[in-house]
Amino acid sequence: MVRRSRRRRLQKFTGLCRQEEGLRVKRSCPSCGPEPGGEEKKGRGNPISVQLFPPELVEHIISFLPVRDVVALGQTCHYFREVCDAEGVWRRICRRLSPRLREQGSGVRPWKRAAILNYTKGLYFQAFGGRRRCLSKSVAPLLAHGYRRFLPTKDHVFILDYTGTLFFLKNALVSSTLGQIQWKRACRYVVLCRGAKDFASDPRCDTVYRKYLYVLATREQPAVVGTTGSRACDCVEVYLQSSGQRVFKMTFHHSMSFKQIVLVGQENQRALLLLTEEGKIYSLVVNETQLDQPRSYTVQLALRKVSRCLPHLRVTRMASNQSSTLYITDQGGVYFEVHTPGVYRDLFGTLQAFDPLDQQMPLALSLPAKILFCALGYNHLGLVDEFGRIFMQGNNRYGQLGTGDKMDRGEPTQVHYLQRPIALWCGLNHSLVLSQGSDFSKELLGCGCGAGGRLPGWPKGSASFVKLHVKVPLCACSLCSTRECLYMLSSHDIEHHPTYRDLPASRVVGTPEPGLGAGAPQDPGGAARACEEYLSQIHSCPTLQDRMEKMKEIVGWMPLMAAQKDFFWEALDMLQRAAGGVGPGPATPES
């Protein structure tokens, strides 16, 4: 009786009359109209709209949902879209995901951006050797605010987050669930430094040469005599990649502000290229073989020739390898520095314009549109323009250009069956492309040399981009491949993503533009001639297994959708298994 009286008083106070069947909440909003079939039924109370609840209470309840469910709930109706998009909801979600994050960051939607950055962050890797060839995830530092960049070195991995904290992910011996001791990659982490803007190491693809890590950072310098207060100055700090110990530091004048650093050259003549906020490039030379000696000396910072000879250019991005450097301007132009005759011959097919006495003279590449980003390998490169087209140039001995043959290209050549990539990477003799399907699923494509397992599922390699047998994370945004491992970085920034333009109709139909290189023919009979060439290649294969493998490569060359390519590859695998005396093909990867 006491409990019943208390319940009656509570119902009278709240005004919510609960009958025998219980209280029904109306899940509809005024913009969506009344709920279908929502007429009052005999013996039931009046439905109550969720809009009668205080907004703070609704936001508090929604903040306990997973991020994926919050996004899905916001797509149900106009009311929930406004509630799920409120900054109060994302502030609570962000503090739940990253309790140690004190500031919301920058941007138009700072809390939502911070929450999604921390929800989608992850570093995934797949080893090429060993019995287990599956995708693994590294340890996730609790202090990291999203992942912006990563770089694998000889023994470890370094990750830079959006607050300028550089993390040192170590490989270590750990105990497995069965009590066995095993070696794991990136399973422990420490904070290497804070206030970092960018970092770089030896530009060669082989991580064995990456002994030192160069970090571009901002540090507070104490006040000098005659001034008041400290000043923030940019500096370059050099760390040993094996232990994380700082061995060298150089500080610049407070009036100079840099945003990117790249390395070029040999160890004894290592050139550091620094890009300023104004788009100018400065360089200095250090000797890495003497960095471990405890002494101080002065280095000279000089303006690079590309900024001296072309002062009107504003460089926005740099890329480098051991013997060449590539610059992208704010207008989408591309300029090249090549320092050795062998690489120059591989890239341009001639030594006619190479000057060994003036190796810093920039060379302009002829391109039909504005370039957004690039990838630079040892002797080949890839460019992506504002329309999402991919252009490849350089040495093609192993088919690393993805053009379907092994002929070198001395000028940018379009790969017609690939468009709108998320990321592009060029290595020593193979290339990788991270693309996204119409259903927002990601897939990894590769071409070139397949030795050592660097093209999973294609041990013989391929002269065109084929789908690799790798399960790609949903929010993968960048990738890198070493001799032992394939790395993919997962992070989604709602305010920074490549926006491609639609190709004008005048460029879709008609003759190819000048400067595109030896691309695929544009006339209607080009497809028929290509099919005839494919049939002749299949006919030249001596065995049935070779013909099946050649047909798989041809499917990768053809401009088909991802689902169609998967269908043909699975069908060819079934035919291989059905044929007598032919071993089973590689397993189809999960989509």
Side-chain angles (χ1 to χ4, degrees), residues 49-323:
S49 173
V50 72
Q51 292 177 320
L52 296 179
F53 292 99
E56 295 80 6
L57 178 61
V58 179
E59 293 180 1
H60 182 73
I61 295 174
I62 292 177
S63 64
F64 287 96
L65 296 175
V67 175
R68 184 187 297 270
D69 296 339
V70 173
V71 176
L73 182 62
Q75 298 174 353
T76 56
C77 67
H78 178 71
Y79 172 75
F80 279 121
R81 185 179 67 181
E82 292 182 351
V83 173
C84 295
D85 205 38
E87 279 292 279
V89 173
W90 293 105
R91 182 178 66 251
R92 295 185 179 94
I93 294 176
C94 186
R95 289 178 175 174
R96 175 166 54 87
L97 295 175
S98 302
R100 301 184 182 183
L101 184 64
R102 301 302 180 187
E103 299 179 358
Q104 71 271 27
S106 60
V108 180
R109 305 295 309 279
W111 285 113
K112 183 176 181 180
R113 177 173 180 252
I116 293 180
L117 280 175
N118 288 279
Y119 176 74
T120 58
K121 68 180 180 182
L123 179 63
Y124 299 84
F125 57 89
Q126 178 172 328
F128 294 142
R131 290 178 294 179
R132 293 187 59 188
R133 297 185 180 181
C134 59
L135 201 66
S136 304
K137 186 177 181 180
S138 69
V139 62
L142 296 177
L143 299 175
H145 178 45
Y147 292 163
R148 191 173 69 179
R149 270 202 62 202
F150 79 102
L151 179 68
T153 58
K154 179 181 178 181
D155 303 313
H156 310 291
V157 181
F158 295 86
I159 293 182
L160 179 65
D161 72 350
Y162 280 84
T163 60
T165 305
L166 187 60
F167 292 91
F168 182 20
L169 274 61
K170 298 182 177 181
N171 303 335
L173 290 172
V174 296
S175 177
S176 64
T177 56
L178 301 177
Q180 300 176 351
I181 302 298
Q182 59 182 0
W183 181 260
K184 292 191 66 176
R185 295 178 182 269
C187 60
R188 306 287 170 81
Y189 75 91
V190 295
V191 176
L192 185 68
C193 67
R194 302 182 187 274
K197 292 184 175 182
D198 195 19
F199 62 102
S201 186
D202 192 291
R204 283 173 283 192
C205 299
D206 196 346
T207 57
V208 175
Y209 300 103
R210 297 175 184 174
K211 181 180 179 181
Y212 295 100
L213 187 75
Y214 294 76
V215 180
L216 176 64
T218 301
R219 298 286 181 262
E220 291 288 337
Q221 299 297 324
V224 297
V225 179
T227 61
T228 58
S230 59
R231 290 179 174 178
C233 299
D234 285 356
C235 64
V236 173
E237 299 175 341
V238 185
Y239 295 86
L240 277 172
Q241 69 86 27
S242 57
S243 61
Q245 177 186 0
R246 194 181 74 180
V247 296
F248 187 72
K249 179 181 179 180
M250 58 189 84
T251 305
F252 308 107
H253 193 264
H254 63 86
S255 62
M256 305 190 70
S257 179
F258 304 99
K259 66 178 183 179
Q260 187 185 3
I261 178 174
V262 298
L263 308 181
V264 66
Q266 299 287 344
E267 290 87 343
N268 56 352
Q269 286 289 323
R270 182 77 74 198
L272 279 66
L273 306 185
L274 299 167
L275 177 61
T276 66
E277 299 288 348
E278 296 78 19
K280 303 298 180 182
I281 299 175
Y282 289 84
S283 64
L284 58 92
V285 179
V286 297
N287 189 353
E288 277 192 1
T289 60
Q290 300 178 358
L291 287 180
D292 54 352
Q293 301 177 6
R295 66 188 184 94
S296 61
Y297 57 90
T298 304
V299 294
Q300 183 179 2
L301 187 67
L303 193 65
R304 198 73 172 178
K305 191 165 187 177
V306 64
S307 296
R308 293 199 317 266
C309 298
L310 304 172
H312 62 283
L313 292 182
R314 180 184 174 90
V315 179
T316 58
R317 184 175 298 189
M318 300 185 298
S320 69
N321 60 22
Q322 183 181 2
S323 55

Side-chain angles (χ1 to χ4, degrees), residues 126 135 443-444 456 467-472 486 488 589-590:
Q126 178 172 328
L135 201 66
E443 62 180 12
L444 186 61
K467 184 178 179 180
L468 304 183
H469 294 189
V470 177
K471 186 177 181 180
V472 182
L486 170 68
M488 286 181 288
E590 298 180 18

Side-chain angles (χ1 to χ4, degrees), residues 9-27:
R9 287 198 301 268
L10 180 61
Q11 291 175 351
K12 183 178 180 181
F13 177 74
T14 57
L16 303 178
C17 298
R18 182 184 180 94
Q19 297 186 1
E20 294 180 1
E21 283 81 11
L23 180 66
R24 287 196 309 118
V25 178
K26 185 179 180 182
R27 298 180 179 86

Side-chain angles (χ1 to χ4, degrees), residues 387-520:
F387 302 111
R389 297 177 297 182
I390 300 178
F391 298 89
M392 306 294 289
Q393 177 179 345
N395 186 282
N396 199 23
R397 179 180 180 183
Y398 296 93
Q400 59 263 43
L401 300 184
T403 54
D405 53 37
K406 296 185 179 181
M407 297 175 56
D408 297 345
R409 299 295 196 277
E411 57 184 3
T413 302
Q414 182 181 354
V415 182
H416 289 270
Y417 56 90
L418 285 182
Q419 288 186 352
R420 304 198 171 204
I422 298 175
L424 175 65
W425 185 85
C426 294
L428 181 63
N429 47 30
H430 74 292
S431 305
L432 301 175
V433 168
L434 182 63
S435 64
Q436 178 175 284
S438 57
D439 56 348
F440 299 101
S441 62
K442 305 288 178 62
E443 62 180 12
L444 186 61
L445 307 174
C447 65
C449 180
R454 64 191 68 183
L455 295 181
W458 303 87
K460 296 182 179 180
S462 174
S464 63
F465 283 97
V466 293
K467 184 178 179 180
L468 304 183
H469 294 189
V470 177
K471 186 177 181 180
V472 182
L474 182 62
C475 296
C477 60
S478 63
L479 69 155
C480 176
S481 179
T482 64
R483 179 182 295 180
E484 303 87 7
C485 199
L486 170 68
Y487 296 89
M488 286 181 288
L489 186 71
S490 173
S491 181
H492 181 68
D493 191 350
I494 62 176
E495 296 183 359
H496 296 86
H497 52 86
T499 55
Y500 295 115
R501 297 172 52 195
D502 293 331
L503 192 65
S506 60
R507 301 193 183 186
V508 177
V509 182
T511 58
E513 300 172 273
L516 291 181

